[in-house]
Amino acid sequence: MEVFQSHRKSSSNNVIVSILPFYRSAPPLEVRLEDFEFFAMDRLRVLKGISDGLCRGKKPEEMEKLVVDLWKANMRHPQAVEEVNKDIISHFVLRLVYCRTEELRKWFLSMETTLFRHRFRLESSEAQRALMSEFKLPYKAVSNAEFESVKDKLGQVARSMGQNLAAADAIFYKVPFEEVPDLVSGRRVFIHKGHAYVAMNQVVSLVVTQFRSYISKALILTNRKWTSTIREQEKDRLTPIVEALCTSYLGPDYSQPQEFGEISIKDIDQVAKTSFPLCMRHLFEKVKEDHHLKHGGRMQLGLFLKGVGLKLDDALAFWKAEFAPKVSAERFDKEYAYNIRHNYGREGKRTDYTPYSCQKIISVTPGIGDHHGCPYRHFSEENLRAALVRMGLSSRAVEDVMDKVHNRHYQLACTLTFEAVHGSSCDAGINHPNQYFIDSQRVLQSKNGSVA
Amino acid sequence: MTKEEADNGRDDMVIDVPGQANAVPDGFNANYLRIYYGKLFPHADMFKWMSYGNDGKHPGCDKSYFGRREFSFTLENDIYIRFQSFNSVTELENSIKEKCPFKIDIGPVYSVDPAKRHAYAQSGNNVFTPVERELVFDIDISDYDDVRYCCTGADVCLECWPLMTIAIKVIDTSLRDDFGFNHILWVYSGRRGVHCWVCDGKARRLTNEQRAAIADYFHVYKGNENSQKKISLPGLVLHPFLARSYTEVLKGFFEAKLLPNQNLLASEERYEKILEMIPDASVASELRRRWQENKRASMSKDDINIVRWEQLKSILQSGKQKMQGLRRCVEEIVFSYTYPRLDMEVSRHMNHLLKAPFCVHPKTASGRTEQGRTKTRC
């Protein structure tokens, strides 16, 4: 396993190992199957946390803190060697998971690069220098004497870009100008006799660019290996784990209705109006209108209702009553009841199915006659605007939501909708329809002193 | 392949005065060309230059080097032939004398002899691709037509030629001091401007991306007839390269030479062009008002352009100006009149064919040839 180690001496003269791997090659370690999955899930929490932070437009300083917190929460280990192992193993497992389509690769590359960028910035300068030589970047640190002689020019360059030459940036690297064409092109460096003087923050960009390009190529190779050999070879062992990982939702699963206990059948109409997210409102309205829903819709709404607290008997009664104009009682019992019981874990292998998360709902594409999926993604602009207005959003709020939709931030759109409907902010963002419901009930209860 | 020059270029040629049929025509003529190539064109020097020491006379030299260089010829009747290559000075000389090209272009050195290019695939391991090529620049005086009133198009005179001179100074200084190049040749391109050939080994081996980066580094003047503001210098101060160019070359030239010689502020038509570049309308109106009042007599014996320029500077550079865009306005005006206007496309790609020095240009009736000039003689 190629792991770069740099040593930092603490004041008590103990050598502290500070390690930032850049995943050159897969580790020849033995990994337990559980660790294979769990390490990957922990790292995935970090990456999804980063993704979330980026979506919310967090500034670089905030992102840096977020990365530190996420890493501490999920990847820390008291023994440095164990931490490094987990770091490397989890990265390589996720490579398998995320190499398989263009979209997955793009996401993974983006998150891993951001993670690397912030971790690199947090390293000591010796560690950074050593990493740069590992990347074979021909950078030489500028000596103090030389720095003094060019300080004015370096300051000029910084100010020409609207920045200041802070004392912290007094670390500069000298490199042949041919190595940094982008910086030369934009006149973002001082050049003298063929050498460019590159500031520390610019160096970070360059290292990160190298990292990104390396991981990008590695992902393509991994994909080839996956499709040609690994997937088949591992179909009984690793493949199922890998395939499940990227769709895994990592928050609470809402399979057991919590705080508000039960919702009875007579409450549904009321709570649908006040506390259902748009996707479920739509399905609910459609089932009332059409007296029918196709399978996808029944699953999505049915499991949601289970999570909301609808008991099995009430669920059966609900669907039977709604379908009654089109489906006789006998036919209902024959064709639909079984599936509902199945969803509640009373049939077949008795899996207690969990309600779908936003990620899952967004990823499906409804067909003709379907009403499930995420409306922020699939509704036409016209229909979506109309639906938002019906939910009571002001035109300003509608514009804000549509802006998120145009940028394909569907969950943020739903979050803004929640905030507009309830008049209170939702910092955590919406990740699950049942979360929307619970948060909504919470807000309403605190306003009215009772469940709406 | 299409030729660069349009056919109507022949209009420049001087026609014989009728009635003197027996007089020697002094226009461009294929015979003169033959004589030129026979007696004057420096074949041996071209060979020596293009060989860069690989002349086959000492161990360690690459004998295939010269033969991998592409030349292209433009023949009579606009016939254009590419991928000409020669293995020795004799082959080069004989071919030129025999074909009498109206124009010779120099291309890159390829991985293999261009004559054999068809045997090589365009991708994979065995490729036909450029491996070396001088870093080149092209500056055209006709690109300065909007700032010179003495000539237009291909005409040049002593008043406006200095625009080329200072462009050369700016670029040459940067190539040497900033980029560390040493072997730089500036030549008159035979018609409208100058070419620069940077011949250092490091320069010849630059990739297209690196060439584009250098070209972009020099790219300050951005625009065409349609854009209003062609120079934009944001930032609190100028990058050292721009600052040096301004203080050492451009400012002095603009204030002492260009401004008075081209009467840039003397008439309303001309000073409006400068006032347009001032982003603050109230400042521009103030100056306009002052200059309209002082139309006829000037207060002092000094040149009216210089007087007005001082007024403009003093308003724009006074500490009272807080508006963002005004900070560098004076420099922007000077840059827009004097900063080198490079043809970016020429420099970016290794396979760009550029006219060889010492060519006779068919469109220059007086038969000016490309001649080398060093910076000092400028």
Side-chain angles (χ1 to χ4, degrees):
Chain A
M1 167 170 68
E2 270 157 84
V3 170
F4 169 69
Q5 295 188 7
S6 91
H7 302 272
R8 226 183 356 201
K9 291 209 169 165
S10 75
S11 52
S12 58
N13 259 340
N14 289 330
V15 173
I16 299 174
V17 170
S18 142
I19 292 156
L20 181 58
F22 56 98
Y23 319 109
R24 270 255 187 271
S25 59
L29 298 167
E30 269 186 18
V31 186
R32 294 183 308 167
L33 210 54
E34 314 152 13
D35 288 344
F36 185 89
E37 187 171 5
F38 294 145
F39 285 179
M41 288 181 73
D42 284 343
R43 191 186 192 89
L44 201 48
R45 283 197 186 86
V46 175
L47 296 184
K48 291 205 172 169
I50 291 177
S51 178
D52 207 52
L54 290 174
C55 273
R56 286 163 195 288
K58 280 196 196 284
K59 299 199 200 49
E61 316 83 58
E62 295 171 315
M63 282 305 295
E64 201 152 287
K65 178 165 191 310
L66 179 65
V67 165
V68 170
D69 293 340
L70 285 167
W71 192 265
K72 221 191 287 187
N74 294 290
M75 300 293 289
R76 265 281 135 83
H77 196 287
Q79 285 173 293
V81 177
E82 293 301 322
E83 188 171 326
V84 173
N85 285 351
K86 183 171 173 181
D87 186 353
I88 298 179
I89 291 166
S90 60
H91 172 89
F92 277 93
V93 174
L94 288 184
R95 261 200 219 179
L96 282 177
V97 176
Y98 283 89
C99 71
R100 294 167 300 137
T101 73
E102 176 66 30
E103 213 170 306
L104 291 175
R105 287 195 291 268
K106 240 173 92 172
W107 184 86
F108 181 72
L109 188 62
S110 189
M111 300 311 133
E112 281 284 339
T113 305
T114 307
L115 177 62
F116 181 82
R117 172 181 296 120
H118 290 288
R119 289 178 74 195
F120 183 82
R121 288 186 71 93
L122 292 164
E123 288 288 331
S124 70
S125 37
E126 303 97 61
Q128 286 172 336
R129 261 202 289 277
L131 264 169
M132 289 194 291
S133 68
E134 287 280 332
F135 270 111
K136 302 207 175 16
L137 295 173
Y139 290 62
K140 290 192 181 47
V142 169
S143 69
N144 279 335
E146 191 177 357
F147 178 74
E148 286 305 314
S149 72
V150 293
K151 198 165 63 163
D152 287 338
K153 296 283 193 302
L154 298 179
Q156 252 187 297
V157 175
R159 285 201 307 285
S160 79
M161 297 189 286
Q163 296 163 13
N164 266 316
L165 196 62
D169 291 330
I171 302 169
F172 271 78
Y173 292 85
K174 211 165 132 174
V175 73
F177 79 87
E178 293 95 326
E179 301 289 324
V180 290
D182 285 339
L183 296 177
V184 169
S185 179
R187 285 191 296 271
R188 298 206 292 276
V189 279
F190 173 61
I191 312 179
H192 184 65
K193 291 294 183 205
H195 283 97
Y197 289 76
V198 182
M200 189 64 222
N201 60 351
Q202 293 170 323
V203 168
V204 173
S205 289
L206 292 159
V207 174
V208 169
T209 306
Q210 291 277 57
F211 176 81
R212 171 181 259 271
S213 123
Y214 166 71
I215 298 289
S216 174
K217 291 190 194 112
L219 280 173
I220 307 273
L221 289 174
T222 307
N223 185 35
R224 268 189 218 144
K225 263 201 266 177
W226 171 260
T227 43
S228 64
T229 45
I230 306 178
R231 181 175 58 193
E232 184 54 35
Q233 254 173 29
E234 290 291 337
K235 70 177 192 291
D236 297 321
R237 199 175 62 140
L238 299 181
T239 302
I241 300 177
V242 166
E243 284 176 353
L245 265 170
C246 76
T247 50
S248 61
Y249 161 74
L250 297 166
D253 65 7
Y254 302 101
S255 54
Q256 301 307 323
Q258 287 155 2
E259 297 161 49
F260 297 98
E262 299 155 19
I263 295 283
S264 77
I265 197 171
K266 58 180 166 47
D267 299 326
I268 298 185
D269 282 330
Q270 180 58 17
V271 294
K273 277 204 200 70
T274 58
S275 299
F276 277 17
L278 185 57
C279 51
M280 302 303 174
R281 261 174 80 110
H282 179 64
L283 284 167
F284 191 76
E285 280 169 14
K286 280 297 167 189
V287 80
K288 294 239 166 228
E289 210 178 286
D290 298 340
H291 304 294
H292 192 262
L293 264 188
K294 293 178 88 167
H295 175 78
R298 293 201 303 274
M299 290 297 284
Q300 187 174 310
L301 182 60
L303 288 171
F304 171 74
L305 290 173
K306 184 175 84 151
V308 153
L310 195 65
K311 291 241 162 304
L312 175 59
D313 294 328
D314 279 351
L316 286 165
F318 166 74
W319 290 103
K320 198 169 190 173
E322 294 304 329
F323 279 23
K326 285 199 176 150
V327 180
S328 71
E330 289 115 13
R331 195 156 81 96
F332 182 87
D333 288 334
K334 223 169 37 171
E335 292 176 26
Y336 296 97
Y338 179 89
N339 277 327
I340 297 170
R341 294 165 58 82
H342 201 278
N343 286 348
Y344 278 74
R346 309 292 174 85
E347 301 285 355
K349 57 182 162 102
R350 316 266 159 165
T351 313
D352 200 5
Y353 288 97
T354 55
Y356 298 162
S357 66
C358 286
Q359 198 185 358
K360 178 145 188 183
I361 292 172
I362 289 171
S363 70
V364 305
T365 306
I368 302 191
D370 282 330
H371 296 292
H372 60 287
C374 177
Y376 296 99
R377 183 174 172 212
H378 288 114
F379 274 23
S380 69
E381 172 141 356
E382 217 177 287
N383 287 344
L384 184 54
R385 283 176 183 269
L388 292 171
V389 167
R390 278 205 306 278
M391 277 181 89
L393 264 65
S394 68
S395 52
R396 180 66 208 274
V398 172
E399 288 313 314
D400 288 341
V401 172
M402 290 314 295
D403 180 63
K404 294 288 177 219
V405 170
H406 293 142
N407 288 318
R408 297 197 276 185
H409 298 315
Y410 308 118
Q411 286 169 253
L412 289 180
C414 191
T415 309
L416 283 182
T417 306
F418 180 97
E419 291 179 351
V421 167
H422 295 82
S424 68
S425 71
C426 173
D427 288 326
I430 299 297
N431 292 311
H432 198 295
N434 288 92
Q435 174 208 351
Y436 184 109
F437 180 81
I438 288 176
D439 287 351
S440 168
Q441 289 285 292
R442 216 177 263 147
V443 169
L444 291 172
Q445 189 178 47
S446 71
K447 278 189 186 163
N448 302 340
S450 61
V451 175
Chain B
M1 280 264 171
T2 54
K3 237 166 50 106
E4 277 171 44
E5 289 105 8
D7 275 331
N8 60 11
R10 308 282 159 144
D11 295 340
D12 291 350
M13 294 203 301
V14 171
I15 309 292
D16 294 337
V17 173
Q20 295 184 11
N22 292 327
V24 175
D26 51 6
F28 189 80
N29 184 299
N31 277 327
Y32 284 138
L33 200 54
R34 201 166 294 124
I35 297 171
Y36 176 72
Y37 284 135
K39 298 208 193 297
L40 292 172
F41 184 86
H43 302 276
D45 286 327
M46 286 295 274
F47 173 80
K48 195 166 163 205
W49 170 24
M50 293 280 122
S51 298
Y52 291 103
N54 291 304
D55 50 9
K57 288 189 187 139
H58 57 272
C61 75
D62 177 356
K63 291 200 189 137
S64 73
Y65 187 85
F66 185 76
R68 291 186 279 120
R69 168 83 68 170
E70 177 190 2
F71 293 88
S72 75
F73 290 167
T74 308
L75 308 178
E76 203 166 2
N77 301 325
D78 290 348
I79 300 170
Y80 182 65
I81 45 178
R82 270 195 74 175
F83 297 113
Q84 304 297 292
S85 58
F86 315 101
N87 289 315
S88 67
V89 62
T90 325
E91 275 184 39
L92 172 73
E93 190 171 343
N94 289 344
S95 183
I96 291 178
K97 282 179 182 167
E98 177 207 322
K99 297 192 168 76
C100 269
F102 277 25
K103 186 159 88 93
I104 303 174
D105 290 301
I106 302 178
V109 177
Y110 283 93
S111 49
V112 291
D113 183 339
K116 303 193 181 104
R117 67 193 179 280
H118 297 299
Y120 293 84
Q122 283 308 308
S123 59
N125 285 335
N126 241 1
V127 285
F128 172 67
T129 189
V131 294
E132 279 193 20
R133 199 297 198 265
E134 294 76 7
L135 175 64
V136 292
F137 297 96
D138 179 3
I139 309 179
D140 225 315
I141 191 82
S142 60
D143 285 342
Y144 290 78
D145 282 355
D146 62 311
V147 296
R148 55 179 187 147
Y149 297 98
C150 46
C151 315
T152 57
D155 294 331
V156 183
C157 69
L158 282 174
E159 297 295 333
C160 55
W161 182 253
L163 283 165
M164 291 284 105
T165 317
I166 52 150
I168 293 173
K169 274 207 189 105
V170 167
I171 303 293
D172 189 276
T173 308
S174 182
L175 288 171
R176 287 176 205 275
D177 290 356
D178 299 345
F179 291 98
F181 295 126
N182 294 309
H183 302 285
I184 304 175
L185 173 70
W186 289 92
V187 283
Y188 171 58
S189 69
R191 200 160 113 87
R192 296 187 299 191
V194 290
H195 292 162
C196 175
W197 296 76
V198 184
C199 304
D200 297 55
K202 239 179 27 147
R204 302 200 308 269
R205 289 184 280 274
L206 290 170
T207 64
N208 286 349
E209 190 193 0
Q210 291 157 345
R211 285 160 207 265
I214 299 177
D216 286 336
Y217 181 86
F218 290 140
H219 196 197
V220 181
Y221 182 87
K222 297 174 188 187
N224 52 37
E225 319 85 55
N226 300 321
S227 40
Q228 180 79 316
K229 199 158 182 238
K230 300 168 180 148
I231 297 264
S232 177
L233 300 173
L236 301 168
V237 302
L238 296 178
H239 183 280
F241 159 61
L242 300 177
R244 177 192 64 216
S245 306
Y246 180 71
T247 50
E248 288 180 14
V249 182
L250 302 179
K251 177 176 195 286
F253 172 75
F254 179 82
E255 291 182 350
K257 296 266 159 43
L258 194 67
L259 186 60
N261 293 349
Q262 296 285 341
N263 283 305
L264 294 178
L265 291 172
S267 70
E268 183 175 341
E269 188 197 334
R270 294 192 190 181
Y271 69 57
E272 272 306 322
K273 278 175 55 171
I274 292 187
L275 290 178
E276 262 167 20
M277 295 188 214
I278 302 177
D280 186 331
S282 61
V283 169
S285 322
E286 167 65 23
L287 288 165
R288 190 178 290 118
R289 189 189 58 78
R290 267 198 235 178
W291 296 345
Q292 272 165 353
E293 283 169 17
N294 281 332
K295 234 181 259 195
R296 251 160 291 154
S298 64
M299 303 297 213
S300 66
K301 289 181 288 246
D302 295 327
D303 183 302
I304 191 176
N305 296 290
I306 296 181
V307 168
R308 287 182 172 172
W309 180 246
E310 290 303 318
Q311 288 174 344
L312 184 148
K313 273 202 298 184
S314 102
I315 283 195
L316 285 175
Q317 286 172 343
S318 84
K320 297 198 220 103
Q321 297 306 341
K322 297 287 181 221
M323 184 178 161
Q324 268 293 59
L326 286 184
R327 223 174 280 178
R328 302 262 79 83
C329 191
V330 172
E331 286 92 332
E332 284 174 355
I333 295 172
V334 172
F335 269 75
S336 64
Y337 275 83
T338 59
Y339 184 85
R341 301 177 184 190
L342 304 172
D343 183 341
M344 291 288 136
E345 284 315 303
V346 166
S347 313
R348 281 185 205 281
H349 298 277
M350 283 176 99
N351 55 14
H352 188 100
L353 291 153
L354 193 64
K355 199 167 77 144
F358 299 107
C359 275
V360 182
H361 201 298
K363 285 188 187 159
T364 310
S366 57
R368 283 176 262 164
T369 69
E370 277 218 24
Q371 290 165 6
R373 38 207 316 175
T374 64
K375 190 180 75 153
T376 49
R377 272 193 269 139
C378 272

